[in-house]
Amino acid sequence: MSADFHKLLFDISEALVTDELAALKFLSLEHIPMRKLEAIQEPKAFFEALQEKDMIEVENLSFLKELLYRINRMDLLAALLGSSREEMERELQMPSRAKVSAYRQLLYGIAEDLTLDDVECMKFLLKEKIPKNKLQDNASILKVLLEMERNGIIKEDDLAMLKDILERFRPDLKKKIDAYELKKPENYSKEKLHYPVPVSVHPEEQGAEREKLHLLVESYKMKNNPHGYCVILNNYIFKNPFEVREGTVEDGEAVKRVFNWLQFETVEHMDLEAKQLYAKVKEYSKKDHSNMDCFVCFIFSHGEKDKIKGVDHEFVNIKDLLSCFSGSNCPSLAGKPKLFFIQACQGSVGHPAVTVKEDFSGHLETDATPLSSIPDQADILVGMATVEDYECYRCVETGSVYIQCLCDKMELLCPLRKDLITILTEVNKEVARRVLNKCKQMPKITSTLRKQLIFQIPQCQSVEK
């Protein structure tokens, strides 16, 4: 079966041309980070990237079928996958079946409808917004749209500039955007979300209930450059040579790449004893963060429940590290987000897998006790690689499952202005569905953040390859 699967992908790869590969990459941007897609030059590498993300598997070819349907390769869909246009249209109308977002479908549909003259008009109107070297004659419309996204000119919740441009020479396509915005379930007025409330049968109560419909969701201010420190405490070499953490250097490099891109001042400290771990955290808590928006700390080491191990085999309590950043101990960060991401085992057993039915109709509930290591103070978030009592996993060549997934998701979702809790929830979902050493890994988010945290993406900049 595996040989048949690889032959299938090979046959499809051989049938695709350059423009079709570019289209497939564009349609997959919600699932593969842009830096990885930019490096892909041929279809086989693209399909390998999809397999790495578990987007196509031997037993699940639905995304592959959708992609071929979107780029109108009905011949491949029929001859190699036994499907048809009608079957795909029925399939994609079912809830949650489409993996290409409505936003990306819209942009791709507009790109397909534009003529060569239209594309030149668009490039001309964007000359003041996008660097000239990105608007050369050979720049395709998909590349132009990607640059508009990268420069913050268009976003999923803000297509005003694209509408203004299209209205000048293709008003019919501007109407497509209008129709898309009307269909969206959310009202994307800036920073406001509308929540349904019960409608009262008493007229005198209806006015008060209408006021509840408009809840302002505040965001933390992220205006300074740099936004703050991103401190990496990375334990690699331990006194016991059998405890060397191969792959942790790759984790440090991934974090530095992403947080340099996000305009943080990143610094890494290697191989710290327990007392040194505490001292280094305390050192940063005593700095003046008045001109900073945020503080981020990554800790990579071995651990036990609620504890981090130093390279000297002594332990430091996670609670003690976090308490350094309480409002009283670090007043210049009071009211600002403090983020801690900890890659360390919290036990010595693998997390078992359980089989769940497709739908529990919303009746699966649990009451969990929060981590004792979180102080009862605001604006702190802790992302743990695993829940307490269990192991977490690290590849000696590519780094830890949790940290690498976190970096991938931030590269993917920060440009879409997704907030941190949404990103971490996606990380939980991605890590939890993998099977690691015949076990599972379940990351954990513990948060007292009072507002949304949305990382700002610098214009005219992408993550370095």
Side-chain angles (χ1 to χ4, degrees):
M1 187 65 172
S2 178
D4 292 341
F5 175 63
H6 287 103
K7 184 179 184 304
L8 169 69
L9 297 183
F10 176 82
D11 290 343
I12 294 174
S13 299
E14 291 293 294
L16 295 171
V17 297
T18 302
D19 288 347
E20 290 170 335
L21 174 60
L24 294 176
K25 289 160 62 175
F26 184 84
L27 292 168
S28 302
L29 267 168
E30 272 97 6
H31 305 287
I32 303 176
M34 188 179 292
R35 69 178 176 87
K36 289 189 177 180
L37 288 173
E38 286 177 338
I40 292 172
Q41 301 299 323
E42 50 97 18
K44 298 182 190 70
F46 173 70
F47 290 137
E48 286 172 3
L50 287 181
Q51 289 177 78
E52 287 174 8
K53 295 293 181 182
D54 296 331
M55 293 304 299
I56 55 174
E57 301 170 299
V58 176
E59 301 298 332
N60 185 3
L61 298 173
S62 59
F63 188 56
L64 178 59
K65 290 180 180 180
E66 180 180 355
L67 288 176
L68 294 177
Y69 167 78
R70 300 284 180 206
I71 66 170
N72 204 34
R73 284 305 303 265
M74 302 304 163
D75 55 333
L76 298 179
L77 198 61
L80 298 177
L81 294 169
S83 188
S84 65
R85 182 190 300 275
E86 294 74 18
E87 183 179 324
M88 289 306 303
E89 287 174 350
R90 287 195 301 270
E91 176 80 10
L92 294 173
Q93 285 176 359
M94 300 173 69
S96 303
R97 292 298 174 91
K99 300 302 180 186
V100 179
S101 70
Y103 164 69
R104 200 139 304 273
Q105 291 176 44
L106 172 74
L107 293 185
Y108 182 69
I110 289 172
E112 287 290 280
D113 285 339
L114 290 172
T115 66
L116 290 175
D117 288 341
D118 293 336
V119 175
E120 291 307 310
C121 288
M122 202 161 168
K123 290 178 181 178
F124 179 80
L125 294 170
L126 286 167
K127 282 197 299 186
E128 302 301 319
K129 302 289 184 182
I130 293 176
K132 290 181 180 178
N133 66 324
K134 303 295 185 181
L135 296 174
Q136 295 172 349
D137 291 342
N138 62 346
S140 69
I141 182 57
L142 292 181
K143 286 184 178 179
V144 173
L145 290 172
L146 283 174
E147 285 303 319
M148 292 179 74
E149 289 187 282
R150 186 175 281 163
N151 285 271
I153 297 169
I154 56 173
K155 308 183 187 76
E156 186 173 3
D157 59 349
D158 185 3
L159 292 164
M161 177 68 74
L162 183 58
K163 287 204 294 186
D164 289 345
I165 290 172
L166 291 174
E167 193 166 30
R168 302 188 189 191
F169 60 93
R170 286 297 300 270
D172 57 319
L173 296 183
K174 184 259 185 187
K175 291 178 181 178
K176 278 192 173 184
I177 301 176
D178 290 336
Y180 159 81
E181 290 176 333
L182 285 173
K183 288 180 182 177
K184 285 182 69 63
E186 301 92 348
N187 181 345
Y188 278 109
S189 58
K190 293 284 183 181
E191 305 237 310
K192 288 186 179 180
L193 297 176
H194 303 291
Y195 294 87
V197 297
V199 178
S200 172
V201 293
H202 301 290
E204 65 271 18
E205 295 177 9
Q206 289 181 3
E209 287 172 344
R210 280 195 205 100
E211 291 180 2
K212 294 178 186 177
L213 285 169
H214 299 279
L215 294 177
L216 181 64
V217 178
E218 291 184 84
S219 294
Y220 287 105
K221 178 175 73 69
M222 296 290 281
K223 300 297 183 185
N224 289 302
N225 186 3
H227 293 303
Y229 293 106
C230 174
V231 180
I232 306 165
L233 307 179
N234 195 345
N235 282 351
Y236 176 30
I237 306 294
F238 285 72
K239 288 186 176 179
N240 181 347
F242 294 105
E243 291 189 338
V244 170
R245 301 183 62 255
E246 297 290 355
T248 196
V249 172
E250 284 70 21
D251 285 345
E253 291 302 315
V255 170
K256 284 186 284 187
R257 182 186 71 241
V258 171
F259 278 85
N260 282 332
W261 169 56
L262 293 174
Q263 296 181 317
F264 279 77
E265 184 175 326
T266 61
V267 59
E268 185 173 26
H269 302 279
M270 299 293 295
D271 301 337
L272 302 173
E273 298 179 351
K275 288 182 179 178
Q276 293 173 324
L277 276 170
Y278 178 76
K280 189 59 67 175
V281 170
K282 191 168 184 178
E283 174 189 328
Y284 279 92
S285 74
K286 297 303 180 184
K287 290 182 180 288
D288 183 7
H289 302 266
S290 300
N291 294 321
M292 306 286 197
D293 303 316
C294 182
F295 176 77
V296 182
C297 182
F298 284 83
I299 303 175
F300 307 149
S301 191
H302 294 299
E304 292 181 359
K305 185 176 180 180
D306 296 341
K307 296 178 181 179
I308 303 296
K309 182 187 282 190
V311 296
D312 57 348
H313 296 177
E314 296 297 320
F315 288 91
V316 59
N317 291 324
I318 295 174
K319 179 179 178 180
D320 293 337
L321 298 177
L322 298 180
S323 66
C324 294
F325 285 87
S326 65
S328 55
N329 288 330
C330 186
S332 62
L333 276 173
K336 301 176 183 179
K338 282 82 65 176
L339 315 177
F340 294 83
F341 299 96
I342 299 174
Q343 168 66 32
C345 290
Q346 293 293 286
S348 58
V349 297
H351 201 134
V354 295
T355 302
V356 295
K357 293 182 179 178
E358 190 70 24
D359 183 9
F360 276 97
S361 302
H363 297 305
L364 186 64
E365 297 182 352
T366 183
D367 292 318
T369 305
L371 259 182
S372 60
S373 57
I374 298 298
D376 186 22
Q377 292 165 8
D379 308 300
I380 292 178
L381 178 143
V382 179
M384 300 290 294
T386 179
V387 293
E388 52 266 43
D389 299 326
Y390 292 106
E391 295 175 328
C392 54
Y393 299 96
R394 171 175 31 85
C395 174
V396 297
E397 295 177 351
T398 59
S400 65
V401 175
Y402 174 67
I403 295 300
Q404 294 296 326
C405 182
L406 172 61
C407 290
D408 281 352
K409 292 296 183 183
M410 292 193 75
E411 290 173 7
L412 195 64
L413 299 176
C414 286
L416 301 179
R417 290 187 55 78
K418 300 297 184 183
D419 67 281
L420 180 60
I421 295 293
T422 298
I423 294 172
L424 291 176
T425 303
E426 284 296 310
V427 173
N428 281 9
K429 176 183 174 183
E430 174 76 18
V431 173
R433 70 191 182 95
R434 300 187 186 182
V435 178
L436 309 158
N437 288 350
K438 299 183 179 180
C439 292
K440 288 285 191 175
Q441 180 175 328
M442 186 65 246
K444 183 173 182 179
I445 312 161
T446 307
S447 171
T448 59
L449 297 183
R450 298 171 297 114
K451 305 174 186 179
Q452 282 189 335
L453 178 54
I454 299 174
F455 291 102
Q456 302 301 310
I457 303 302
Q459 290 193 356
C460 303
Q461 203 174 331
S462 63
V463 188
E464 292 181 7
K465 293 186 182 66

